[in-house]
């Protein structure tokens, strides 16, 4: 596919014959799969799966993250023309990335949703590829981690966030976006000694052994130091990267349920994600994009870029 084909290309999410290659259809038209990748449930030969979990339930302030996957896909239509800046390889040309679509679940049966999410991700992992998941509130990471831990054992976690999500909650059946990391530790899904939280700027009484690099530390010590320390913590073991969009300052991502000032700038997040190349990333997600609260679309654009960076990070060691 080439630029001169743009006049005839449309709906590549359905019409393209292969899983590789750039896409030049009009940004303002066509079916908006993530990066114009092919929608498919057939994962034969697929290197990486992007999927959506449009779920929000009891967020702290502003609901709407159920619309995050749709908005991120739409924003990503600006990206599949050129290789991602600074990576030195083109994952769209070199790897087969598929859009698996969204999880279907019974919105009126919240109690059944966690198991549905876990089964959705486990079904993909059983076929080989890793996942980059578009959310959805941050609760979705907990059942995703259950699926990953079943395959890899306890994981190292890199969590970009304004909040630790470590508030104590020993009711493991309770669906809450603010306690998922507490439960992940208590359930043995993550190894605290190999986990780090980046950009934190809210109080937490007990980090349960997870090191946190708060926003001020990130600003004062710089992205290079943060990346070096993060790599030291996670080592070469299986690592999952979860990026809550409110890790960014509201100036860069106002469309989220719980905005907190003093956060990362988009350039800092971009530098950190790029320079984490080489970690053993097995999966990741970007969550809490809430488009109803950002009419500019800036938050969805940030989410789309984060998701693409996570794809690059996942595929880096497979080049």
């Amino acid at each position: 596919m080439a630029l001169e084909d743009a006049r005839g290309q449309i709906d590549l999410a359905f019409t393209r014959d292969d899983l590789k290659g750039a896409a030049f259809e009009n940004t303002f038209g066509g079916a908006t799969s993530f990066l114009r990748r092919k929608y498919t449930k057939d994962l034969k030969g697929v290197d990486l799966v992007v999927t959506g979990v449009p779920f929000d339930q009891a967020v702290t302030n502003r609901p709407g993250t159920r619309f995050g996957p749709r908005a991120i896909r739409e924003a990503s239509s600006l990206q599949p023309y050129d290789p991602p800046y600074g990576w030195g390889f083109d994952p769209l040309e070199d790897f087969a990335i598929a859009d698996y679509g969204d999880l279907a679940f019974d919105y009126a049966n919240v109690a059944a949703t966690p198991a549905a999410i876990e089964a959705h991700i486990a079904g993909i992992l059983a076929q080989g590829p890793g996942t980059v998941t578009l959310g959805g509130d941050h609760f979705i990471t907990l059942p995703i981690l259950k699926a990953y831990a079943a395959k890899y054992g306890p994981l190292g976690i890199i969590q970009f966030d304004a909040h630790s999500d470590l508030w104590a909650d020993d009711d493991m059946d309770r669906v809450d976006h603010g306690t998922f990391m507490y439960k992940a530790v208590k359930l043995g899904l993550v190894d605290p000694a190999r986990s780090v939280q980046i950009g934190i700027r809210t109080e937490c009484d007990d980090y349960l052994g997870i090191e946190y690099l708060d926003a001020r530390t990130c600003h004062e010590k710089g992205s290079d130091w943060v990346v070096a320390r993060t790599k030291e913590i996670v080592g070469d073991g299986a690592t999952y990267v979860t990026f809550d969009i409110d890790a960014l300052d509201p100036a860069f991502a106002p469309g989220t349920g719980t905005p907190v000032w003093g956060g990362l700038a988009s350039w800092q997040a971009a530098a950190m994600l790029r320079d984490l190349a080489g970690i053993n990333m097995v999966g990741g997600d970007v969550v809490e994009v809430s488009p109803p609260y950002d009419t500019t679309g800036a938050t969805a654009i940030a989410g789309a870029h984060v998701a693409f960076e996570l794809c690059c990070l996942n595929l880096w060691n497979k080049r």
Side-chain angles (χ1 to χ4, degrees):
M1 297 179 185
L3 183 58
E4 59 267 22
D5 298 322
R7 66 177 67 90
Q9 292 182 9
I10 194 67
D11 296 330
L12 291 177
F14 302 108
T15 62
R16 66 185 304 148
D17 295 325
D18 55 37
L19 295 170
K20 294 182 179 179
F24 292 99
E25 66 181 280
N26 294 329
T27 58
F28 48 82
T32 52
S33 63
F34 184 71
L35 298 175
R36 305 291 191 177
R37 297 303 91 191
K38 186 175 183 178
Y39 273 118
T40 182
K41 304 294 185 184
D42 179 3
L43 300 185
K44 182 179 180 181
V46 171
D47 297 302
L48 182 65
V49 166
V50 176
T51 187
V53 179
F55 174 79
D56 60 2
Q57 193 258 333
V59 294
T60 303
N61 185 29
R62 304 186 300 194
T65 57
R66 66 186 62 187
F67 298 107
R70 180 182 296 174
I72 290 170
R73 285 188 175 98
E74 181 177 352
S76 78
S77 65
L78 290 166
Q79 296 173 267
Y81 300 91
D82 300 302
Y85 181 75
W87 280 89
F89 80 112
D90 188 348
L92 300 186
E93 293 286 356
D94 299 340
F95 294 95
I97 303 173
D99 193 326
Y100 197 74
D102 287 346
L103 166 69
F105 59 92
D106 184 351
Y107 65 88
N109 188 359
V110 174
T113 302
I117 297 172
E118 181 181 355
H120 178 73
I121 299 298
I124 296 170
L125 295 180
Q127 299 180 68
T131 61
V132 171
T133 302
L134 315 177
D137 76 41
H138 218 156
F139 170 80
I140 71 168
T141 304
L142 180 61
I144 293 173
L145 289 175
K146 288 183 178 180
Y148 268 90
K151 180 173 182 176
Y152 293 100
L155 300 153
I157 297 293
I158 301 174
Q159 178 183 348
F160 290 85
D161 211 323
H163 314 86
S164 68
D165 297 324
L166 284 166
W167 289 278
D169 181 4
D170 291 306
D171 181 353
M172 296 300 166
D173 294 325
R174 186 169 175 271
V175 178
D176 188 334
H177 74 294
T179 64
F180 88 90
M181 186 56 76
Y182 176 90
K183 292 174 182 176
V185 173
K186 293 295 183 178
L187 292 170
L189 308 178
V190 307
D191 178 0
R194 290 191 50 248
S195 299
V196 58
Q197 298 181 324
I198 299 171
I200 303 299
R201 50 194 189 277
T202 51
E203 293 295 327
C204 177
D205 293 332
D206 186 355
Y207 282 88
L208 301 182
I210 297 175
E211 184 162 339
Y212 70 98
L213 309 177
D214 66 13
R216 182 167 181 169
T217 297
C218 294
H219 295 319
E220 292 180 349
K221 294 195 173 184
S223 300
D224 289 348
W225 182 90
V226 171
V227 168
R229 179 61 187 139
T230 298
K231 286 185 170 181
E232 182 181 7
I233 292 168
V234 301
D236 59 4
T239 300
Y240 188 91
V241 182
T242 180
F243 196 109
D244 188 326
I245 205 67
D246 70 26
L248 301 180
D249 189 86
F252 300 91
T256 186
T258 47
V260 184
W261 77 336
L264 302 179
S266 58
W267 68 263
Q268 289 175 299
M272 290 177 192
L273 289 169
R274 168 63 187 85
D275 292 346
L276 283 171
I279 65 169
N280 182 14
M281 178 189 167
V282 294
D285 61 53
V286 54
V287 297
E288 308 232 351
V289 171
S290 191
Y293 302 97
D294 178 8
T295 57
T296 71
T299 309
I301 291 169
H305 279 276
V306 169
F308 201 0
E309 298 293 294
L310 292 178
C311 291
C312 296
L313 194 55
N314 180 275
L315 295 167
W316 175 258
N317 292 337
K318 302 173 185 176
R319 294 167 302 138

